[in-house]
Amino acid sequence: MSQDIKSVAVIGGGTMGSGIAAACAAAGCDVLILEANEGFAAAAKGRVETLAADDAEKALFRDKVAVGTMDKDVGRIAACDWICEAVIESLPAKKAVLAAIEPVRRDGSIVTTNTSGIPLSAIVAGEPERLRRDMLVTHFFNPVRVMRLLEIVTGPETRADAREKLGGFLRGGLKKGLVTAKDTPNFIGNRIGLYFILSGLHLGAKHRAAGTSIDRIDALLGAPVGFPGTALYGLVDLIGLDVVASIAKNLAETLPEGDAGRPTASLPAAEAAMLARGQLGRKSGGGFYRMRKAADGSKLKEVFDPEAGGGAGSWGPSTKIKLDGTSAALETVFFADDADGALVRDVLGGTLLYAADLVPQISDDIVNVDRAMRWGFAWAKGPFELIDRIGAQRLIDWLGREGRPLPHMLAVLQKAGAARFYDGDRYLGTDGALHPVPAE
């Protein structure tokens, strides 16, 4: 079925669009990139060539990738099996693209929108029935050729064969790990990943005030829990405070009333001040961390203390933290009666409980959630796998002592009398029964 997609049109040749085009060309497809004008089109062509792995692939891209403009060349999409809209995250811009392509695309062609959070229901609202039946969300993660995760969202009218045909190509041709998400705000990966980031920034301010340094917070949220070395603050530096602020604004506008993510869907005061002065992260030369060259030519890593100097902040040497004792492993630090344990319970524990309450709201099963976080955020284990590692019953007992309610999936687990979410090659479903883990 991966061979059913042989020609692809990508509308918008920016970072995401050029990445999608390069991946499709590398898979042997003929690719057409359409841009707003000829200058943008030429830039998109060059951008795709920079993504080639070697000279042979660069030659392949020159042969397989054509460019044009929406005004002059939109009719050429009639020959394409899949049309992927990859313009800016703006509903009006996406609707304008659909209005331009719908009259000229052929029957049976598949249309997707590459969006990180605009609901499919909003995008197809008022569109012709033919388009609603042929349309899906394909949420690629950046960089497209590196990241395995690809979230798929279908609407109530989407043809099953369109989902199957495209899914076969994305899995077999592009070698992506597909995750089926529901049409909810920010889908799966960003819904949980940004909760970790935003709640972590708010809680981090509290723990910094109590004496835990940024270096230590990142150490605790790194190796012991199986997260990448970027942990929390390093991850914000990688993404950029401006991007985090933009996503937070979107979440504040779209999260359901009563959602646990709403209170932290904004930057805390210290981070807002950093954003205001352009201290965004790696893209600006420094955010929470920066690299400086010492007098002897060696590199010196520095960390920013946002609260120093009466709130103006100051830079100082970053300290490599060596965790030992109970702090060195998740199973012990999570329940430790000290500052390290409190930090891990607040930030990681809060994220795991949030995820456990979102099934089946954002996904029909826990497997898609775990894969989204492993493939999209490089977690060694997904939220439900981490709960199994901590001990689901220990977590339930702790919540009971704290007088806190059980998130939905923990309540399902308790009612089913299960000890874990995963039992070998089976997982606990929302019905309380064990089901085979689907192949990746």
Side-chain angles (χ1 to χ4, degrees), residues 194-205 217 221 232-233 347:
L194 267 296
Y195 179 87
F196 165 72
I197 290 171
L198 289 166
S199 66
L201 290 178
H202 283 269
L203 292 165
I217 291 172
L221 297 174
L232 172 61
Y233 295 107
V347 181

Side-chain angles (χ1 to χ4, degrees), residues 196-197 217-223 227-236 289:
F196 165 72
I197 290 171
I217 291 172
D218 271 357
L220 289 163
L221 297 174
F227 286 6
T230 49
L232 172 61
Y233 295 107
L235 180 58
V236 173
Y289 299 101

Side-chain angles (χ1 to χ4, degrees), residues 376-391:
F377 283 79
W379 291 13
K381 293 182 180 295
F384 296 94
E385 295 166 319
L386 282 169
I387 292 174
D388 279 356
R389 182 179 165 190
I390 292 167

